[in-house]
Structures are given as C-alpha cells and as structure tokens.
Amino acid sequence: MDKIDISEVCQHYRARVIRVTPLDDCYLVETNRGPKELHVWPRVDVMRWSFAWRERLAGQGFRELERFIRTREAKPYLVVGKRGVTMTDHLRHIEACSPGEDFARQSGRVVGMMHLSQQESPILAGDDYLKQEQMNAEAKWAQAKAVVESYRARYGKEKGEKRWVAELMTPLLQRMERSALMLSHESITPDAINVAHRDLLRDNWGMVNGKLYLRGFFRPQLSIQQRDVASFLRDLYLTHKDIRQVHAFLDGYEEVKPLQYSDYTLMLAFMARPREVWKSVESYVKRVSRNKEVSAASIEQALQSQQAVDQLLHHIADRAERSRSVGVDEPL
C-alpha cells in the first residue's frame, strides 16, 4: 500500500473521518457520510482516463459503477506528488451474479458501452498498447524457441515422459507464432485500436440492489479493448463450458458497438496463446534442468483446459468468418 498522509487527503472531502483501515488495494475510510474507499493511483494519466470513461458511461445511462467523489473544491481527484488519489463509496453488500445468458448479454452491453466511453478519451493512445502486445508476443515466442532448442538438444532422444514433453513443444511454438502473426494482421487498422483494461474478469461484476454493477479497475494494467473481451470470454467459457453465454455476451456487445473482422482477429490472437500449457511446460523444463523430481501431471491438466479453449476458438472463428469484411481472403 502506498504511504500518503491520509488525514491531510481526507481534509479535502466534505466528510468527517472516524476511522481509517488499510486494505490490500485501498484505504477503507469510515466517515459520518458512510464508508468510503480511498484509492492511490501510481499513474496520474491512467486515473484521469479512468475518471473520463466512468463519467461518459454514466452519461450514457449506466450509473451502476464506482464514480469518483468530488472534493470540497469540486475536483474529482487529487494529485499528491506524482500519484493520484480518488475517493469512492464503499458498498458493503455486493451479491454474486447469477451465471447465464441473461447476465452474459447484459454484461456484453455494458462492456460495449464502457469501450465506447473509453475510446473517446485522447489521454492514452491505443496504438502504443498494440505495439507493446506485438513486441511482447514476439519476445515470448523467441524465448520459447530458445528453451525448446536447449531442451530438445539434451532430452529430445530420451524415452518416456521427457520425450513426450519434447514432442509437445512443436505445436506450442506454432500457436505462439500464429498468435504473434495475427496481432500484426493486415486487416488491423489504427482506428480500430483503443485502450482498455488488460483483463476484464468475473470479479469486476456484482449485483447491488438487484442491478448489475461494474466494479474495480483502480490499479488497472492496460492493453487494448480486444484483449479485454478475449480475457472475459476465455474465463467465462472455461468456467461454464456454455457457448451460448459467449454468443450472448457478443450479441449484447454488438448491440452497442459492432465488431469488425479485425476485432475478431485480435481477440483470437490473444485466445490462441497456449498460456497455461506453456507455463506448465516451462516449469517442467526448469525442474528437469535442476535435476529435481518432476511430473507431467500439471501439463496434462493444462492440456485439458487448452482443449476447452480450442472449442471456444472454433466458435469465435466461425463467428468472425460470418462478419468478414469484403476483400479479406485469408482465413483465420
């Protein structure tokens, strides 16, 4: 938790502070006007960007989210040194969302509205974050190739489990290469790239007074909107194995913000990364290189998750093909 003078900060707000409790990601402030949360932002530009999209989203009619409380001077946030500070209401009673197509469609609409609100801000450039993703994908692919070459040279001809892992590496490298190439697909144009949170998750949703509530994003890691959608759909499908919820989310999203072929291409690029499988393989390789006891059980478990992701990829690719732009001939 960032150390700031809480008492000095709270003096800027129209509330009498009773008690302050440090939490993992904020300060819980009990006041005569109810419980509040005080958040410290490492980046002031991200705080300003977050304020802007929240206000635009509320202006679109969706007010079930955490908005910044204004100070005595009517400022929506404070800048203390090189950090930003915001105060929001603390909700004590947030219920879990009931999974299903209705929730998926509603959340899709809200995310579409949120993305429209975010892309209107000139504070952060989406193209910069796409370049970061492209460079990161290429770097991970290069690192993986080096790991594979080293492992194969030493264990590629052995029998049993070690050889099985060596054979598994070829399709993993192919997936990583494909993901990197899709991130630079010719259909992607700068006007289709806007900044969003890197990973939208189920934890960002709740029910408050019977209404869908959007929460969090106070210390966001940023990327582009297509990764936001890809992360949520991947998590949604791996949790429920229900493709109808995936399509319901996308239907709701497209009611507000239609998706182009390039959007689907980027979503598939992020989904195509064999994240869990490669992580488990990399861990296996490290233990082998240190002559430690190893087991491929975690790899086998990750492969089962990857099979579910592959099913999701197939459905998203089919949907993408149905929305293809005229003149794009390369299949996904």
Side-chain angles (χ1 to χ4, degrees):
M1 177 66 67
D2 300 84
K3 293 187 180 299
I4 61 173
D5 191 333
I6 299 297
S7 59
E8 181 179 343
V9 168
C10 289
Q11 290 176 10
H12 289 274
Y13 290 92
R14 297 179 182 277
R16 180 171 57 83
V17 176
I18 300 172
R19 182 171 59 253
V20 177
T21 305
L23 302 180
D24 290 340
D25 59 349
C26 69
Y27 295 93
L28 177 61
V29 183
E30 300 287 350
T31 77
N32 62 325
R33 297 192 175 189
K36 311 294 180 185
E37 292 181 7
L38 206 66
H39 292 270
V40 180
W41 298 71
R43 287 180 53 180
V44 173
D45 59 342
V46 174
M47 176 187 68
R48 288 172 173 156
W49 171 79
S50 187
F51 165 72
W53 72 254
R54 290 167 195 267
E55 292 301 297
R56 290 194 186 98
L57 186 56
Q60 292 183 54
F62 186 81
R63 297 177 175 273
E64 284 69 47
L65 76 161
E66 295 150 316
R67 298 173 68 185
F68 300 166
I69 297 171
R70 292 184 178 270
T71 66
R72 295 177 183 274
E73 298 80 19
K75 296 179 180 179
Y77 45 73
L78 298 170
V79 178
V80 181
K82 295 183 178 180
R83 292 168 293 178
V85 180
T86 59
M87 179 179 282
T88 58
D89 288 317
H90 174 76
L91 300 176
R92 296 192 186 278
H93 305 291
I94 301 180
E95 299 178 1
C97 297
S98 298
E101 293 180 55
D102 184 56
F103 161 70
R105 183 180 288 273
Q106 287 186 60
S107 58
R109 282 185 53 81
V110 174
V111 175
M113 295 169 66
M114 179 176 69
H115 284 176
L116 282 178
S117 301
Q118 290 170 343
Q119 72 183 39
E120 294 177 14
S121 175
I123 297 175
L124 302 170
D127 194 45
D128 291 341
Y129 286 90
L130 175 60
K131 291 176 181 176
Q132 289 181 20
E133 293 288 0
Q134 291 169 338
M135 293 173 61
N136 182 56
E138 291 175 0
K140 287 187 176 181
W141 178 38
Q143 292 169 3
K145 285 193 292 185
V147 171
V148 169
E149 289 175 3
S150 175
Y151 181 87
R152 282 178 175 167
R154 188 171 180 180
Y155 303 106
K157 295 182 179 180
E158 291 198 18
K159 297 181 179 180
E161 189 177 83
K162 291 181 180 178
R163 183 168 182 173
W164 175 73
V165 172
E167 294 172 348
L168 183 64
M169 290 173 168
T170 297
L172 292 179
L173 287 180
Q174 291 172 345
R175 283 178 174 270
M176 297 175 80
E177 179 185 16
R178 185 60 174 161
S179 175
L181 291 173
M182 290 174 71
L183 284 172
S184 301
H185 196 275
E186 61 182 9
S187 68
I188 300 167
T189 56
D191 59 350
I193 306 303
N194 295 282
V195 179
H197 313 102
R198 193 172 74 179
D199 295 301
L200 176 69
L201 301 171
R202 283 172 293 160
D203 292 345
N204 295 122
W205 302 99
M207 298 296 294
V208 177
N209 297 324
K211 294 184 178 181
L212 187 64
Y213 195 88
L214 186 65
R215 56 192 297 216
F217 310 120
F218 290 105
R219 288 195 172 192
Q221 292 181 300
L222 302 182
S223 181
I224 58 177
Q225 293 179 349
Q226 293 83 354
R227 176 162 181 171
D228 218 10
V229 175
S231 296
F232 185 74
L233 292 182
R234 193 179 189 279
D235 182 54
L236 182 69
Y237 189 70
L238 285 177
T239 302
H240 302 291
K241 303 295 193 300
D242 185 357
I243 197 61
R244 294 172 299 179
Q245 293 187 39
V246 172
H247 286 298
F249 177 94
L250 291 171
D251 289 343
Y253 187 99
E254 294 206 76
E255 288 177 13
V256 178
K257 189 176 184 293
L259 292 165
Q260 305 301 318
Y261 181 77
S262 59
D263 295 315
Y264 282 110
T265 301
L266 286 168
M267 287 160 52
L268 288 166
F270 289 118
M271 291 181 186
R273 293 178 182 172
R275 295 188 297 183
E276 287 85 358
V277 180
W278 177 252
K279 184 177 180 180
S280 60
V281 166
E282 199 171 26
S283 176
Y284 179 92
V285 169
K286 287 180 180 178
R287 292 187 67 84
V288 167
S289 65
R290 296 170 184 170
N291 294 319
K292 294 186 177 181
E293 183 179 348
V294 294
S295 170
S298 62
I299 299 177
E300 294 172 351
Q301 185 176 2
L303 285 171
Q304 292 179 3
S305 296
Q306 186 63 55
Q307 290 176 356
V309 174
D310 289 347
Q311 294 172 1
L312 174 61
L313 283 165
H314 176 74
H315 286 285
I316 299 297
D318 283 348
R319 186 174 178 123
E321 288 300 316
R322 292 196 296 269
S323 67
R324 295 182 68 179
S325 300
V326 176
V328 178
D329 298 319
E330 183 185 349
L332 292 175

